[in-house]
Amino acid sequence: MIKHTVSEPKKSFSSTLLIVIGLVVAVNFSVHIINRLPGSYGGLGGLILILALAIYTSRLMNRKLASYIYEWDGEKLRISKKIGRRDKMVLELPKENIQWIRPLEEIRSQLPQMKRPRKTMALSCRLQGDAIYLLQYVDGKRTYRVIFEPGGKLQKELKKAAKEN
């Protein structure tokens, strides 16, 4: 069994503290500006601020705090997402369903000409770089894609499985 875990590099305490202080100041300043808006514009501004913070928090959870675990036993690819102590199975993909796996940077320019998949899932901490791959698979009659970061050995095994299909 091949097991590969990826996560965002841990930041120093001082840089994390600066980010938190910056966010608190930015939110406080935004609330101050929103409170000066006339009429119901303040409520609309507050709603926009809440939505922006929700999107940022979601990004923070999925990219910066999560770690992804890729497991290959020769028959199935299992991808789990771990946030803190909680480990959640995200995808279990049989070997027969894998169509191809390619480096994302290499194939990015070709994507607009390719047939669009039903869904593309980003199961990686990063979405750019040489270590990022795009895997296409079928489930029934529908095509899906996964953006992920397999290690060298895992990537070779998945390419071999895709060629067999």
Side-chain angles (χ1 to χ4, degrees), residues 10 21 24 31 46 52 55 101 113 115-116 118 144 148 151:
K10 302 298 179 206
I21 290 172
V24 169
V31 168
I55 291 169
I101 175 173
Q113 289 84 29
K115 183 180 175 190
R116 288 190 53 172
R118 176 166 175 82
Y144 297 89
F148 70 127

mmCIF file of all heavy atoms in Angstrom, residues 10 21 24 31 46 52 55 101 113 115-116 118 144 148 151:
data_model
loop_
_atom_site.group_PDB
_atom_site.id
_atom_site.type_symbol
_atom_site.label_atom_id
_atom_site.label_comp_id
_atom_site.label_asym_id
_atom_site.label_seq_id
_atom_site.Cartn_x
_atom_site.Cartn_y
_atom_site.Cartn_z
ATOM 1 N N LYS A 10 3.740 24.648 7.876
ATOM 2 C CA LYS A 10 3.333 25.390 9.070
ATOM 3 C C LYS A 10 4.044 26.739 9.109
ATOM 4 O O LYS A 10 5.226 26.846 8.829
ATOM 5 C CB LYS A 10 3.664 24.601 10.337
ATOM 6 C CG LYS A 10 3.023 23.228 10.389
ATOM 7 C CD LYS A 10 1.525 23.321 10.382
ATOM 8 C CE LYS A 10 0.912 21.919 10.402
ATOM 9 N NZ LYS A 10 -0.379 21.858 9.830
ATOM 10 N N ILE A 21 -4.071 39.577 13.738
ATOM 11 C CA ILE A 21 -4.225 40.987 14.101
ATOM 12 C C ILE A 21 -4.686 41.793 12.883
ATOM 13 O O ILE A 21 -5.574 42.651 12.999
ATOM 14 C CB ILE A 21 -2.915 41.547 14.686
ATOM 15 C CG1 ILE A 21 -2.669 40.932 16.067
ATOM 16 C CG2 ILE A 21 -2.965 43.066 14.790
ATOM 17 C CD1 ILE A 21 -1.314 41.252 16.664
ATOM 18 N N VAL A 24 -8.411 41.144 12.319
ATOM 19 C CA VAL A 24 -9.240 41.818 13.327
ATOM 20 C C VAL A 24 -9.334 43.315 13.012
ATOM 21 O O VAL A 24 -10.426 43.905 13.051
ATOM 22 C CB VAL A 24 -8.679 41.578 14.750
ATOM 23 C CG1 VAL A 24 -9.356 42.486 15.766
ATOM 24 C CG2 VAL A 24 -8.861 40.117 15.143
ATOM 25 N N VAL A 31 -16.464 47.280 9.741
ATOM 26 C CA VAL A 31 -17.672 47.515 10.533
ATOM 27 C C VAL A 31 -17.839 49.011 10.793
ATOM 28 O O VAL A 31 -18.962 49.536 10.727
ATOM 29 C CB VAL A 31 -17.621 46.713 11.857
ATOM 30 C CG1 VAL A 31 -18.709 47.155 12.818
ATOM 31 C CG2 VAL A 31 -17.733 45.229 11.572
ATOM 32 N N GLY A 46 -23.221 44.847 5.953
ATOM 33 C CA GLY A 46 -22.955 43.800 6.947
ATOM 34 C C GLY A 46 -23.108 42.416 6.357
ATOM 35 O O GLY A 46 -22.316 41.516 6.648
ATOM 36 N N ALA A 52 -18.221 37.531 2.845
ATOM 37 C CA ALA A 52 -16.785 37.548 2.555
ATOM 38 C C ALA A 52 -16.004 36.770 3.614
ATOM 39 O O ALA A 52 -15.092 35.999 3.289
ATOM 40 C CB ALA A 52 -16.282 38.979 2.460
ATOM 41 N N ILE A 55 -16.582 32.962 3.123
ATOM 42 C CA ILE A 55 -15.782 32.438 2.001
ATOM 43 C C ILE A 55 -14.318 32.326 2.400
ATOM 44 O O ILE A 55 -13.666 31.311 2.134
ATOM 45 C CB ILE A 55 -15.965 33.330 0.751
ATOM 46 C CG1 ILE A 55 -17.382 33.175 0.209
ATOM 47 C CG2 ILE A 55 -14.936 33.001 -0.322
ATOM 48 C CD1 ILE A 55 -17.771 34.194 -0.847
ATOM 49 N N ILE A 101 -4.133 10.529 -15.855
ATOM 50 C CA ILE A 101 -3.567 11.415 -14.848
ATOM 51 C C ILE A 101 -2.434 12.183 -15.513
ATOM 52 O O ILE A 101 -1.587 11.586 -16.174
ATOM 53 C CB ILE A 101 -3.083 10.653 -13.596
ATOM 54 C CG1 ILE A 101 -2.375 11.614 -12.626
ATOM 55 C CG2 ILE A 101 -2.204 9.502 -13.951
ATOM 56 C CD1 ILE A 101 -2.002 11.000 -11.305
ATOM 57 N N GLN A 113 -10.344 23.270 -24.522
ATOM 58 C CA GLN A 113 -10.737 22.518 -25.705
ATOM 59 C C GLN A 113 -11.283 21.128 -25.355
ATOM 60 O O GLN A 113 -11.917 20.487 -26.179
ATOM 61 C CB GLN A 113 -9.544 22.336 -26.667
ATOM 62 C CG GLN A 113 -9.113 23.606 -27.362
ATOM 63 C CD GLN A 113 -8.174 24.444 -26.514
ATOM 64 O OE1 GLN A 113 -7.441 23.925 -25.703
ATOM 65 N NE2 GLN A 113 -8.224 25.755 -26.710
ATOM 66 N N LYS A 115 -13.573 18.181 -23.376
ATOM 67 C CA LYS A 115 -14.957 18.059 -22.933
ATOM 68 C C LYS A 115 -15.022 18.347 -21.435
ATOM 69 O O LYS A 115 -14.211 17.852 -20.658
ATOM 70 C CB LYS A 115 -15.460 16.643 -23.206
ATOM 71 C CG LYS A 115 -16.894 16.442 -22.837
ATOM 72 C CD LYS A 115 -17.348 15.023 -23.113
ATOM 73 C CE LYS A 115 -18.765 14.831 -22.613
ATOM 74 N NZ LYS A 115 -19.174 13.436 -22.647
ATOM 75 N N ARG A 116 -15.993 19.167 -21.046
ATOM 76 C CA ARG A 116 -16.113 19.561 -19.643
ATOM 77 C C ARG A 116 -16.615 18.403 -18.797
ATOM 78 O O ARG A 116 -17.565 17.712 -19.173
ATOM 79 C CB ARG A 116 -17.076 20.725 -19.506
ATOM 80 C CG ARG A 116 -16.489 22.010 -20.029
ATOM 81 C CD ARG A 116 -17.328 23.160 -19.682
ATOM 82 N NE ARG A 116 -17.564 23.144 -18.223
ATOM 83 C CZ ARG A 116 -18.158 24.116 -17.567
ATOM 84 N NH1 ARG A 116 -18.612 25.144 -18.217
ATOM 85 N NH2 ARG A 116 -18.340 24.040 -16.273
ATOM 86 N N ARG A 118 -18.407 16.735 -15.333
ATOM 87 C CA ARG A 118 -19.551 17.119 -14.503
ATOM 88 C C ARG A 118 -19.079 17.946 -13.311
ATOM 89 O O ARG A 118 -19.711 18.916 -12.929
ATOM 90 C CB ARG A 118 -20.286 15.871 -14.015
ATOM 91 C CG ARG A 118 -21.422 16.196 -13.075
ATOM 92 C CD ARG A 118 -22.318 14.997 -12.890
ATOM 93 N NE ARG A 118 -23.345 15.225 -11.901
ATOM 94 C CZ ARG A 118 -24.491 15.856 -12.122
ATOM 95 N NH1 ARG A 118 -24.748 16.343 -13.308
ATOM 96 N NH2 ARG A 118 -25.372 16.002 -11.163
ATOM 97 N N TYR A 144 -15.592 12.932 -14.146
ATOM 98 C CA TYR A 144 -15.190 13.805 -13.053
ATOM 99 C C TYR A 144 -13.681 13.993 -13.093
ATOM 100 O O TYR A 144 -12.959 13.176 -13.671
ATOM 101 C CB TYR A 144 -15.569 13.193 -11.693
ATOM 102 C CG TYR A 144 -17.048 13.013 -11.506
ATOM 103 C CD1 TYR A 144 -17.686 11.835 -11.910
ATOM 104 C CD2 TYR A 144 -17.807 14.004 -10.907
ATOM 105 C CE1 TYR A 144 -19.050 11.669 -11.733
ATOM 106 C CE2 TYR A 144 -19.177 13.840 -10.719
ATOM 107 C CZ TYR A 144 -19.789 12.670 -11.134
ATOM 108 O OH TYR A 144 -21.129 12.509 -10.964
ATOM 109 N N PHE A 148 -5.042 17.049 -7.319
ATOM 110 C CA PHE A 148 -4.403 16.555 -6.110
ATOM 111 C C PHE A 148 -2.881 16.538 -6.249
ATOM 112 O O PHE A 148 -2.349 16.876 -7.298
ATOM 113 C CB PHE A 148 -4.963 15.185 -5.725
ATOM 114 C CG PHE A 148 -4.576 14.053 -6.638
ATOM 115 C CD1 PHE A 148 -4.008 12.903 -6.109
ATOM 116 C CD2 PHE A 148 -4.796 14.103 -8.002
ATOM 117 C CE1 PHE A 148 -3.656 11.847 -6.942
ATOM 118 C CE2 PHE A 148 -4.454 13.055 -8.824
ATOM 119 C CZ PHE A 148 -3.883 11.923 -8.298
ATOM 120 N N GLY A 151 2.490 11.777 -4.469
ATOM 121 C CA GLY A 151 3.943 11.654 -4.399
ATOM 122 C C GLY A 151 4.443 10.936 -5.644
ATOM 123 O O GLY A 151 3.665 10.400 -6.444
#
